[in-house]
Amino acid sequence: MSVPTKISYGVLVATLILAAWLHLGPLLLAALFSYFALRKLQAGTNRKWLSFILFLICVVGIAYAAGYFGRAAWRALPEVADSSIPSATAWAEKRNIELPFTDFETLKAFLIDQLKAEIHYLNNVAHFAGAATTLLILIVIGIVVAVSLFFHSSLDRHPRAAPKTVASNLYDVSAAEIASRFQDFYRSFETVMGAQIIISSINTVLTAIFVLIIGLPHAAVVIGVTFLCGLLPIVGNLISNTIIVFLAATISAKSAIVALIFLIAIHKFEYFLNGKIVGHRIRNPLWLTLLALVLGEKLMGLPGMVLAPVILNYVKMEASRMPVEDTVNIERSLKSEV
């Protein structure tokens, strides 16, 4: 492996480490998702400026939808909790499982205690507002970074401060290798998240039809949560499915059973979609994906859980392209030494 190649891998690893250490996961995610959207829009229009204008319209629409969904979720959360928690506690009591809450007020107190224990700097409204403002700024910076990369993605190969350069110098070769590493990382993101978005969208549409047919309460909130949770592999479906089953139980036991059967069928259908949409490009065992999700959450929180399958797939891509010595010759040399 050449020196420029080692430098490029070091820059990529340092970027991920700094993103985790400095809590810049939202910025990295915003940049990746924005660049992903810009590239997809360009594929449909073949014009960068038109793609950029459409992207701005999408950002404004998403911001408005997020505000509307946030207000709806905030209003519906107490009612959802009050109607679903009794079903959850009854289910847990039958199985001798002790839950840390019995109603919405105890759930709220439990969540507040957890936030105080794990996020001690969010102990008052001012700090919470500051954290929310920081998150918004990071997302905006990520969008700006994605737009700048979209219009000018190459590094300056010949700096004006150093006009006397030699061919194949360290800076030029390293810049090309760094660009190649980040392009490969983006391709991994495009592969994993592109497939995840398609699968989550199909799952959300089918779930929305089911939710509206059975008349599940707070349908808009449930549909939005289903799509967002669908972006998280494995864990996301468990979260959204649990919410739907408990809400269905507030209608009747029969509705809960029907919801459970429907969600199991959807889950099996998603396995089929994974095989068709992702194909043989992503074939990671379940335990490895779960381990990556846990490590991602510990290192970077929710953005880490989203990025964990991407990083796992990227490592697999890079490792599969690195040649190694013939294992047969290695085994023979080891036997000869013994």
Side-chain angles (χ1 to χ4, degrees):
M1 186 182 294
S2 64
V3 173
T5 303
K6 292 179 181 178
I7 292 174
S8 66
Y9 282 114
V11 170
L12 179 60
V13 172
T15 300
L16 296 176
I17 292 175
L18 286 174
W21 183 32
L22 300 177
H23 307 289
L24 298 178
L27 188 154
L28 184 58
L29 268 185
L32 287 169
F33 272 112
S34 299
Y35 190 73
F36 175 81
L38 286 165
R39 289 288 298 270
K40 294 302 179 183
L41 289 172
Q42 184 189 14
T45 61
N46 293 323
R47 294 181 180 179
K48 285 192 173 183
W49 278 106
L50 181 57
S51 303
F52 174 65
I53 294 172
L54 293 175
F55 171 74
L56 288 181
I57 295 173
C58 291
V59 170
V60 173
I62 291 172
Y64 176 80
Y68 174 81
F69 172 75
R71 289 191 299 270
W74 182 260
R75 290 193 299 264
L77 180 60
E79 298 178 16
V80 171
D82 287 334
S83 58
S84 61
I85 286 177
S87 302
T89 53
W91 181 86
E93 287 175 359
K94 290 181 180 179
R95 290 156 180 79
N96 297 322
I97 301 174
E98 184 178 355
L99 297 178
F101 52 83
T102 56
D103 54 22
F104 177 68
E105 292 301 324
T106 55
L107 173 62
K108 185 168 63 175
F110 171 73
L111 293 176
I112 291 174
D113 290 339
Q114 292 297 313
L115 287 173
K116 287 181 179 178
E118 298 184 13
I119 317 176
H120 59 277
Y121 53 87
L122 295 180
N123 55 3
N124 54 55
V125 176
H127 285 164
F128 180 80
T133 304
T134 301
L135 177 62
L136 180 61
I137 292 173
L138 289 176
I139 292 175
V140 172
I141 293 174
I143 293 174
V144 172
V145 169
V147 171
S148 64
L149 287 172
F150 178 66
F151 284 104
H152 183 70
S153 59
S154 60
L155 295 173
D156 188 3
R157 298 289 187 84
H158 303 289
R160 294 181 181 179
K164 296 181 179 180
T165 58
V166 296
S168 301
N169 60 79
L170 180 62
Y171 178 85
D172 284 356
V173 178
S174 297
E177 289 289 337
I178 292 172
S180 178
R181 296 289 83 75
F182 279 92
Q183 286 172 1
D184 290 341
F185 185 81
Y186 168 75
R187 275 193 286 269
S188 176
F189 176 85
E190 186 179 36
T191 300
V192 175
M193 293 311 302
Q196 201 67 36
I197 288 173
I198 295 173
I199 294 171
S200 179
S201 300
I202 297 173
N203 179 42
T204 302
V205 171
L206 295 176
T207 303
I209 295 172
F210 173 77
V211 166
L212 295 175
I213 288 176
I214 69 170
L216 199 70
H218 314 292
V221 176
V222 172
I223 293 169
V225 170
T226 300
F227 177 75
L228 294 176
C229 290
L231 299 179
L232 293 175
I234 303 172
V235 178
N237 284 334
L238 292 177
I239 296 172
S240 61
N241 292 352
T242 302
I243 294 173
I244 292 172
V245 171
F246 282 141
L247 281 176
T250 62
I251 301 176
S252 66
K254 181 180 179 181
S255 298
I257 294 173
V258 172
L260 183 61
I261 294 173
F262 171 79
L263 293 172
I264 291 174
I266 288 292
H267 186 63
K268 296 299 182 182
F269 181 60
E270 284 185 358
Y271 276 113
F272 172 77
L273 289 179
N274 272 293
K276 291 295 182 180
I277 296 174
V278 184
H280 298 283
R281 292 176 291 177
I282 305 173
R283 290 290 184 182
N284 293 320
L286 179 63
W287 66 267
L288 188 59
T289 303
L290 287 173
L291 180 61
L293 290 173
V294 172
L295 291 176
E297 194 279 331
K298 290 296 182 183
L299 294 174
M300 207 182 295
L302 184 60
M305 295 184 71
V306 178
L307 288 172
V310 178
I311 297 174
L312 190 63
N313 184 61
Y314 172 76
V315 172
K316 181 179 178 180
M317 284 173 49
E318 291 289 355
S320 63
R321 294 187 300 194
M322 292 181 179
V324 295
E325 297 182 27
D326 190 357
T327 55
V328 176
N329 294 332
I330 294 175
E331 291 176 358
R332 289 177 179 176
S333 62
L334 289 174
K335 290 180 180 179
S336 60
E337 290 178 1
V338 174

